């Protein structure tokens, strides 16, 4: 949400005295009008013009107070500055630089002269679109990324007797939410941190999926989504900055109380509030922006920022915010007993690659589309997974059943099995009809899938089944939905009477050439799979090949394969 945080401009400073006498009539009129001729703040402030500072909404109030109450007492030219502080979401400023928008013009009076987003991530992402934006800025404050939750949820997981951690808060039955990380640096850092925690792949996937399922609109107050906050559906926790959890720093209307915080167990990047000057081509505005940026490192600015719950650039929490947060002050002391002065180690600045990878993962689990899942039930699927007593078939069915929980509720899914002449002269058989995932889950399909699958036996008609699946998807495809075919198999085609690989490739190529590509993703099981053969088939459609020899790999591989749902053109 953007808005202006600026009162009227301060009086200009001028030199000299009133040289001419003013008639009694004029003096009376002036007095009646309430004008104050000849009253000025001091020397040297004649021609300074306003300039715009676009700051993240969380820090804009502190900057506004500093500009209005402290800046007039600054030394030198800084005292003459007239900044217009606007509370502007970083995504809004970054979006103006997107290549499709042609980029902003920063030479005009109404454009941004100084930008202070909440994270360097915004600078890196914007720099990728427009190199005129620096990748790094001068950090004026910091705040750790935490999980906000209610003390009731925290108590359920052992707090305050046990330290409140992300592992405890994000347990299997928890319902976490998150603001879309495309619009929230705190959420994006949280998704990256989830990937760095010492959890198994399934747990990390489950948490990101749950956050995506319970996404919070960027325009909403996420605190209102906690139980008691007045907005449904509720979540148990969501990522935010520590500063937002300290009393008085967020919009508390209808917010539940008390709120406590959980800190990540691994080094995690903090929000660092970098200031960058964008007033290219305008020397006067650029100089003003640079002077204001430098003034933000003054003691007065530091005190204002600390009073609003920010840590300094060294990560130190101080002032009244520290007392309130840690319970050393009388008022509101118990509200945030879980805020810690020692917030743990700060992780290195996130790279653009890590950020993009996290956004891709979020995009994958956020997509709703159409998916056909095809399971190999040939005789070789009875082979045991090395080092276990579990067969390839059992491991595959379990992975597919678990995978249904990874999909968005509105995703349309159907399941086939395939082998050789399973249904008359057809080599595939329907296991579940096209239905939304929410319906499949309500019907208990994950628990029933192993009963529906045939006992493995016979050869594999891989080519015929792949073509049949492709034609099924083309016939049933909704152009508004993203579509993908996922085929689990442990071997090559074994049907001498079926189509050849060359015929299959030609058929697939004819469809993709007409702009109707549906990605075919193969998940190869065991050591008998020929990856080169499968790759040749999948590449035509814009799909991929994933190989797995171990049970533990399957769920994460299935998740990775879902990335095709985020892609509606071959090879994207």
């Amino acid at each position: 949400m953007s808005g202006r945080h600026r009162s009227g401009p301060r009086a200009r400073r001028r030199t000299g005295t009133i040289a001419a006498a003013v008639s009694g009539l004029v003096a009376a009129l002036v007095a009646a009008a309430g004008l104050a001729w000849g009253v000025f703040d001091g020397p040297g402030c004649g021609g300074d013009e306003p300039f715009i500072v676009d700051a993240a909404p969380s820090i804009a109030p502190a900057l506004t107070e500093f500009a209005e109450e402290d800046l007039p007492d600054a030394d030198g030219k800084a005292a003459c500055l007239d900044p217009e502080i606007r509370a502007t979401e970083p995504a809004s400023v970054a979006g103006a630089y997107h290549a499709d928008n042609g980029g902003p013009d920063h030479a005009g009076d109404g454009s941004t002269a100084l930008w202070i987003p909440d994270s360097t991530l915004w600078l890196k992402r914007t720099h990728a679109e427009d190199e005129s934006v620096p990748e790094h800025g001068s950090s004026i404050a910091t705040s750790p990324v935490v999980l906000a939750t209610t003390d009731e949820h925290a108590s359920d997981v052992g707090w305050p007797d046990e330290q409140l951690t992300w592992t405890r808060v994000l347990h299997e039955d928890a319902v976490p939410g998150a603001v879309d990380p495309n619009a929230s640096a705190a959420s994006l850092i949280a998704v990256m941190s989830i990937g760095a925690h010492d959890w198994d792949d399934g747990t990390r996937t489950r948490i990101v999926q749950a956050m995506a399922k319970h996404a919070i609109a960027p325009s909403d107050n996420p605190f209102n989504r906690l139980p008691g906050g007045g907005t449904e559906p509720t979540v148990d926790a969501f990522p935010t900055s520590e500063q937002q959890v300290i009393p008085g720093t967020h919009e508390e209307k209808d917010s539940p109380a008390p709120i406590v915080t959980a800190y990540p167990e691994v080094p995690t990047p903090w929000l660092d509030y970098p200031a960058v000057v964008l007033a290219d081509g305008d020397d006067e505005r650029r100089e003003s922006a640079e002077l204001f940026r430098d003034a933000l490192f003054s003691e007065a600015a530091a005190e204002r920022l600390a009073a609003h719950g920010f840590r300094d650039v060294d990560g130190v929490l101080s002032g009244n915010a520290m007392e309130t947060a840690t319970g050393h002050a009388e008022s509101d002391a118990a509200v945030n007993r879980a805020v810690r002065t020692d917030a743990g180690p700060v992780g290195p600045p996130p790279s653009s690659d890590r950020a993009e990878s996290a956004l891709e993962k979020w995009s994958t689990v956020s997509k709703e589309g159409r998916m056909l899942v095809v399971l190999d039930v040939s005789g070789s699927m009875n082979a045991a997974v090395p080092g276990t007593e579990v067969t390839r078939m059992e491991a595959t069915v379990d992975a597919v059943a678990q995978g249904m929980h990874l999909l968005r509720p509105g995703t349309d899914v159907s399941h086939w099995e395939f082998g050789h002449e399973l249904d008359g002269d057809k080599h595939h058989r329907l296991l579940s009809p096209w239905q939304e995932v929410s319906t499949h889950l309500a019907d208990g399909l994950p628990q029933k899938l192993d009963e529906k699958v045939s006992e493995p036996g016979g050869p594999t008609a891989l080519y015929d089944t792949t073509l049949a699946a492709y034609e099924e998807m083309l016939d049933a495809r909704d152009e508004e939905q993203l579509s993908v075919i996922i085929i689990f198999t442990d071997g090559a085609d074994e049907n001498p009477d079926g189509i050849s690989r060359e015929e299959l490739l030609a058929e697939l190529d004819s469809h993709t050439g007409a702009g109707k590509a549906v990605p075919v993703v193969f998940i190869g099981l065991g050591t008998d799979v020929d990856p080169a053969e499968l790759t040749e088939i999948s590449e035509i459609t814009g799909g991929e090949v994933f190989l797995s020899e171990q049970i533990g790999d399957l769920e994460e591989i299935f998740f990775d394969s879902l990335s095709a749902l985020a892609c509606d053109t071959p090879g994207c």
Side-chain angles (χ1 to χ4, degrees), residues 127-362:
H127 179 82
E129 294 287 344
D130 189 324
E131 293 185 356
S132 70
V133 178
E135 285 190 278
H136 302 279
S138 302
S139 175
I140 64 171
T142 62
S143 190
V145 173
V146 300
L147 291 178
T149 187
T150 61
D151 73 342
E152 181 178 358
H153 181 72
S155 298
D156 290 342
V157 295
W159 180 83
D161 296 331
E162 301 288 343
Q163 190 176 70
L164 195 59
T165 64
W166 286 24
T167 299
R168 292 181 182 278
V169 172
L170 299 175
H171 61 78
E172 187 173 358
D173 296 326
V175 182
V179 176
D180 187 340
N182 288 286
S184 166
S187 294
L188 178 53
I189 289 172
V191 173
M192 288 188 282
S193 181
I194 288 168
H197 273 73
D198 187 22
W199 301 325
D200 60 73
D201 292 336
T203 297
R204 288 193 288 266
T205 297
R206 171 185 60 78
I207 293 170
V208 176
Q209 159 68 2
M211 285 182 168
K213 268 186 179 180
H214 303 93
I216 301 168
S219 59
D220 290 345
N221 179 357
F223 289 90
N224 292 344
R225 289 287 297 274
L226 293 173
T231 302
E232 299 289 342
T234 61
V235 298
D236 293 320
F238 64 90
T240 187
S241 69
E242 177 192 72
Q243 181 267 343
Q244 286 285 284
V245 180
I246 293 175
T249 60
H250 67 275
E251 184 182 349
E252 296 184 68
K253 182 181 179 181
D254 296 329
S255 295
I259 300 168
V260 294
T261 62
Y263 293 80
E265 295 99 301
V266 299
T268 299
W270 288 13
L271 300 178
D272 58 347
Y273 301 90
V276 291
V277 176
L278 301 178
D280 294 330
D282 188 325
D283 292 342
E284 183 177 346
R285 291 175 61 253
R286 184 174 186 84
E287 180 182 1
S288 296
E290 290 173 344
L291 283 171
F292 184 68
R293 178 198 60 194
D294 295 343
L296 294 176
F297 294 97
S298 66
E299 183 176 346
E303 290 176 356
R304 289 288 178 186
L305 291 166
H308 281 258
F310 293 96
R311 295 176 182 250
D312 65 20
V313 293
D314 295 319
V316 177
L317 186 67
S318 61
N320 293 334
M322 184 272 289
E323 294 175 354
T324 301
T326 57
H328 295 160
E330 294 182 4
S331 63
D332 296 323
V335 174
N336 285 277
R337 288 168 288 172
V339 173
R340 307 195 321 237
T341 54
D342 177 11
V346 184
S351 66
S352 297
D353 288 343
R354 281 191 64 201
E356 289 305 314
S357 177
L359 289 173
E360 287 176 6
K361 189 162 192 173
W362 179 271

Side-chain angles (χ1 to χ4, degrees), residues 18 30 92 117 123 127 142 199 295 302 309 331 338 341 366 421-422 459 489 563:
I18 301 178
V30 170
S92 177
L123 302 184
H127 179 82
T142 62
W199 301 325
S331 63
T341 54
S366 299
E421 296 182 349
L422 296 182
T489 183
S563 62

Side-chain angles (χ1 to χ4, degrees), residues 443-508:
D443 291 343
L445 180 61
Q447 296 77 28
K448 301 173 183 176
L449 192 60
D450 60 340
E451 301 173 3
K452 292 176 173 289
V453 175
S454 300
E455 185 69 24
T460 309
L462 179 62
Y463 298 157
D464 291 273
T465 301
T466 300
L467 182 58
Y470 207 88
E471 291 174 342
E472 164 78 7
M473 291 297 283
L474 291 181
D475 289 341
R477 186 179 187 186
D478 182 342
E479 294 297 331
E480 298 301 317
Q481 288 182 312
L482 300 175
S483 302
V484 64
I485 300 166
I486 297 182
I487 301 177
F488 289 81
T489 183
D490 71 342
D493 184 85
E494 299 170 332
N495 180 23
D497 299 323
I499 63 172
S500 66
R501 180 171 58 176
E502 288 72 21
E503 289 173 324
L504 172 61
L505 294 175
E507 287 285 345
L508 295 177

Side-chain angles (χ1 to χ4, degrees), residues 523-572:
I523 298 181
L525 310 169
T527 58
D528 299 328
V529 176
D530 182 354
E533 178 182 31
L534 298 183
T535 298
E536 190 175 11
I537 298 170
S538 64
E539 280 186 346
I540 288 182
T541 67
E544 286 189 81
V545 175
F546 298 88
L547 301 178
S548 172
E549 296 181 16
Q550 303 298 324
I551 296 175
D553 299 336
L554 269 180
E555 185 171 341
E556 183 67 10
I557 284 177
F558 190 34
F559 168 81
D560 288 340
S561 72
L562 303 187
S563 62
L565 273 181
C567 179
D568 57 1
T569 57
C572 66

